Amino acid sequence: MLTREEGEEEQEEEEEAKGRRRAFSINDNVDLLAEILGRLDGRSLAVAGCVCRLWSAVGRRDSVWEAVCHRHVAGGGSSAAGGGCSTRSVVAALGGYRRLYRLCIGPALDRLAGSAGGRGSTTTTAAAAAAHHLSLSLSLSLFSIDCYERLGGRQQRPASLLFLCKPVDVS
Amino acid sequence: MDSKATGRKGCRQRGGLLRRDRYGCRHRGPPRATGIRGRLNGVAPHDCRSVERAPVGGGGRARQGTHDATQLTVTAGPLPRVCGRQCRPLTYAVPSLFVPPSAPLCKTRNGTHLNHLGQSSTADGVKSRAGKSDDPASRQDRSLRSLLEEKVKNNMKRERQETVVAAETEDQKGKARMEAEDGGVDELLAALGYKIRSTDMADVAQKLEQLEMAMGTSAAANDDALLSHLASDAVHYNPSDLSTWVDTILSEFNAPSPPLPPPPLSHATLQHHFDLHPAGTEQNSTITTVDIPSGPRCPAEAYHLEPLHAPAVTGRIVNGSDTQSEVSPSSRDRKRMKLCTSPPSSSSTTDAATSPAALPVVVVDTQESGIRLVHALMACAEAVQQDNLKVADALVKQITVLATSQGGAMRKVAGYFAEALARRIYRPQPARNLGGSTLDFAAFDDMLHQHFYESCPYLKFAHFTANQAILEAFAGCRRVHVVDLGMREGLQWPALLQALALRPGGPPSFRLTGIGPPQPDHSDALQEVGWKLAQFADTIRVDFRYRGFVAASLADLEPYMLLGPDAGDIDGEETEAVAVNSVFELHRLLARQGALEKVLGTIRAMRPRIVTVVEQEANHNGETFLERFTEALHYYSTMFDSLEGGVSAASDAAGSGGRRNQVMSEVYLGRQICNVVACEGAERTERHEALAQWRVRMGRAGFEPVPIGSNAFKQASMLLALFAGGDGYRVEERDGSLTLGWHTRPLITTSAWRITSAAC
C-alpha cells in the first residue's frame, strides 16, 4: 500500500516537475523577449508595449528600437562593431533610436509606403521598397536637424520634420 | 503656363454681380457702375452685355421630367417657390446663361450647376424645335418682344433662375460637379433639360447676349404683369437644344446686334453664375421676388466684350472673404431682394474668388484666358521696356482681371508679377525695401526663409548635396574649417556635424565661420546661431569652434579676417581643410561691378579644398528688361507650380500650418519676383544666372568643377521621395553638378569647385 502511494506521489511529483519544465513563460526570459520584439516593425512594437508593464519596459529599450531601425532601413545593419558603437553613441546623444524612429523613420516609411501604394504596388512590395529607399544616414541627418532645432529654446516648435508628418484634419 | 490647377480650382471669376446690377439697374435704365465696377475708371458697364439666363423652363421641365416638351406653358401667378417642387414650369424667352460650375464651386453649391450651354445632342429636341420654328417663330418673337419690353423681363429671368436653381438644387444636390463638362453634353445642364456641349458654350453665351440686347433691357417692375402676358400669348420653343434655339430666335429677331468679338466662355464667369443660384436655394427660402440671389450669387454672365473694360475684380482675386464683404453690400441694394441670402460662410466658401462687382467680366475659357494672361504680361513688359507707361498701366489692370480667371499657381504668379510691374511703373525709383536694404525687410526675410525651408525641398536639397560634397572633400582631414557665406539659421550644419561624427575614423575638429548681414535690432543673431551649433556639437561630441562675421556685403570681407590665427601650421598640426559654402548668395554680388570677382578672389586666397555653390537655375540677369521678365515668368511659374503640387499634397488636411507655409513661401518668392522686375541697378540683387554662366565666371576666377558624387545623388533622390507630391521633383546630374527641378524644368543647381590645380 505504502509503496503504491509513494509511487503515485512520486509519479505526481514527476508530472509536476515535468509540467513545470514544460510551462515556459516568455516573461521569464527578458532577453529573448527583447530579441523577439526587435524583429517587429515600429507599429507592432508600439502595440506590444501595451501588453503589460514588463513588455512596455522591454519595448522601450533602445537596443530593441535599434534593431527595429536597422531592420527597416537600408545601410544601417551591416556597420562594423566600431562604427556601430559610434553610431549608437551619437544616436543616443541625439535622443535615442526610439525617438529616431518616431520622428524620422516611422513617418518616412509611412510616406514611402503611402506613395508607393498610391502608385499601385502591393503592400508587401511597398514595405520592401520603402526600406530600400531610406537610408540610415539620411534619417540621421533629418533627425539631427530636428534635434538642433529643439536646442534653441522653446520659442518655436521645431518644424523641420513637418514635411514628413501626416496631415491632421483639424477641422 | 501650367494650368494644372484648372481642374481643381477652376476659374474664380464671378461675373454674377454684373447680373445683379443689371437687374437692379434695369428699372433705372442703363446699368450704372456700382461697387468695384464703379471704380473701374468709368468703365461703362453696360457696354458689356450681361447675359443672365435661367433656364427656368428647363428646371421646371426637369422636375416634371418632360425634357422634350414641345410647348412650354407659362404659368402666371405667384412665383414658384424655390425650395420645393411647387415650382411651376415657366416658359421663358431667353434661357439664362449659366456658367458651368468649376469643381470648387460645385462642391459648395450643390445644385448650382446652372446650365452649361452647349450643343444639344438630342435629336428630338432639335426636331421638335425645328418643327415649331417656322410658324410660331414670328409670333413668338413679337410676343417676346412685347414681353421683353416690359420691365418684368428681369423678374422673369430671375424667377426662372431661381426656380431653375431650386430645381437644380433639389434634383442635383449630389450631382453638382463640374466633371461633367469635359466634352460631350454637359451633364449638369442635361439634368436641367438642356443639352449643350461645353465646346459650344461660348458661342451660345454670346448669342444669348445678343438676344438679350436685341430684346432690350428694362428694369423689372411688375412680375405679375409680365407673367400674365407670358401666360396668355407666348409661344415658346423648346430651349433644350439651347444653341439652335438661340440661333433661331436671333435670326428671327434680326436685331442689330453689335458685333461681338467673341471671347470664349469663361469658366470663372460661369462659376460665378453658378454661385448665385445655389446660395439662395440652399436656404430653401421662399423666393417671393424674382430677384437674383444676393450678391455673390449673381449670375456670372456678364459678357466682357472688350477686355480693357475690366470688371471690378481687380486685385480681389484671391480669398473670397474680401470679395464677399464687397459683394454683399452691393447686392443688398437690390430692392427686390427678398431671398434669404446664403450665410456668408457658404457663400464665401463657394465664392472663394467671387468677383465682387457685377461688372461685365470676361467670359473666357480658362486655357484661353491663360494664354491671354501671358500675352498681357508680355505686352506689359514690352510697354515698360519701351517706357510706354500709359499702355503698361492699362495692361496691368487687364492682367489683374485676367488673373482672376485662372486658378491656383498661375493666378498667384500673375498677381505677383502684376504687382511688380505696377511697382515698376509707378515708382521708377526703386523702393529700398525691395532691394533688401531696410532692416524690416531683413527680419521678415528670415522668417520667410524659414517657412520656405520647411515647406519645400529646395533648401533641403541644397543643404544635403552641399554637405555631401563637403563631407567627401574632408575625407581624412583632422582639422576642418567651413566658411558659410550666408549663415541665417545654420540649418545646414547639424547634418554635417552628425555625418562627420559618424564617419569612419571619428570626427575631426570642426571650425565654422558664419557670415551674415547686420541685424535690424542689433542683436547678435550670428552669435546665437553659433551658440546653438556649439551646444549641438557638444551633444554629439564633436570638437567645435565658431566665429561669426557681420558684413553688409560679402565684398567687404578680406581673406585675413576669415582665415584667422588658427589657419596656419600650429606646432606641426596639419593645416586645416577649408570649405566655402554659398547657398543663394553669390548672385547678389553681381549687382555691383567687380564685387563677385573680389569675393572669388578672397575665397581663392583661403585655398579651400572645395567651394560649394547653390544657385537658381535661371537667367534673370539678361541685358534687356523683357528678357529678364520672360525668364522670370517661366521660372517662377514653375516654382509656384511645385509649391502648389508639393505642399498642398502634403498638407491638404493639415489646416493652417501647411497653408501658412505655402503662403509664406509664396511671399518669399514674391519678393524675389518684385526684385527682379521692379528694381534696377544696385537694388536689383536677385541676379540669378544659369549654371553655364557661373561656370564661366568661376573658370575666370581660377576654379575648376568638381563632380559631385553619386552618394549625393542617391541621398537627394531619397529626400525627394519623402516629400509628398514628390512625383514632380526631379534630380538630375549634369556635368557633375546636381539640379533639382520640377518636371522638366531645372530650378536650382548645386555645384562644387576647387582651385584649378594648374594655377596652384
Side-chain angles (χ1 to χ4, degrees), chain A residues 93 111 133 138 141 148 159 167-168, chain B residues 464 489 498 539 650 653 718 722 724:
Chain A
R111 176 65 58 78
H133 283 144
L138 177 66
S141 305
Y148 168 73
V168 173
Chain B
F464 276 51
E489 289 296 316
Q498 167 260 317
T539 55
M718 273 191 274
L722 292 181

Side-chain angles (χ1 to χ4, degrees), chain A residues 86-87 89-90 93-94 108 111-112 119 133-135 137-138 140-142 144-145 147-149 151-152 159-160 163-164 167-170, chain B residues 450 453-454 460 464 489-491 494-495 498 501-502 529 532-533 535-536 539-540 650-651 653-655 715 718-719 721-724 727:
Chain A
S86 63
T87 313
S89 63
V90 168
L94 289 177
R111 176 65 58 78
L112 287 175
R119 275 178 247 130
H133 283 144
L134 191 60
S135 83
S137 61
L138 177 66
L140 278 177
S141 305
L142 294 171
S144 58
I145 297 174
C147 173
Y148 168 73
E149 276 190 317
L151 275 183
S160 70
F163 73 98
L164 280 179
V168 173
D169 192 352
V170 295
Chain B
Q450 186 70 20
Y453 178 84
E454 289 163 16
K460 288 198 180 78
F464 276 51
E489 289 296 316
L491 285 169
Q498 167 260 317
L502 287 180
V529 168
K532 264 172 73 171
L533 283 170
Q535 257 187 300
F536 179 81
T539 55
I540 58 174
S651 56
Q715 216 184 30
M718 273 191 274
L719 175 69
L722 292 181
F723 272 85
D727 282 353

Side-chain angles (χ1 to χ4, degrees), chain B residues 355-431:
Chain B
S355 79
L359 283 176
V361 291
V362 187
V363 180
V364 285
D365 182 16
T366 325
Q367 280 203 339
E368 292 220 24
S369 78
I371 297 174
R372 295 178 71 191
L373 181 59
V374 174
H375 285 323
L377 282 165
M378 301 306 301
C380 190
E382 264 190 61
V384 166
Q385 172 159 302
Q386 292 156 4
D387 263 341
N388 198 347
L389 293 184
K390 283 208 174 59
V391 172
D393 186 27
L395 282 169
V396 166
K397 296 198 170 73
Q398 184 182 355
I399 290 169
T400 331
V401 168
L402 281 174
T404 62
S405 72
Q406 298 297 304
M410 189 57 213
R411 176 163 72 208
K412 295 173 197 168
V413 172
Y416 282 115
F417 273 94
E419 182 195 336
L421 282 168
R423 275 188 206 253
R424 192 184 179 100
I425 293 169
Y426 295 114
R427 281 209 279 183
Q429 299 80 30

Side-chain angles (χ1 to χ4, degrees), chain B residues 136-153:
Chain B
S138 46
R139 247 189 309 148
Q140 177 175 4
D141 289 339
R142 280 195 299 273
S143 61
L144 281 177
R145 285 196 199 99
S146 63
L147 286 178
L148 290 170
E149 275 157 11
E150 308 275 333
K151 304 203 170 178
V152 181
K153 175 163 165 272

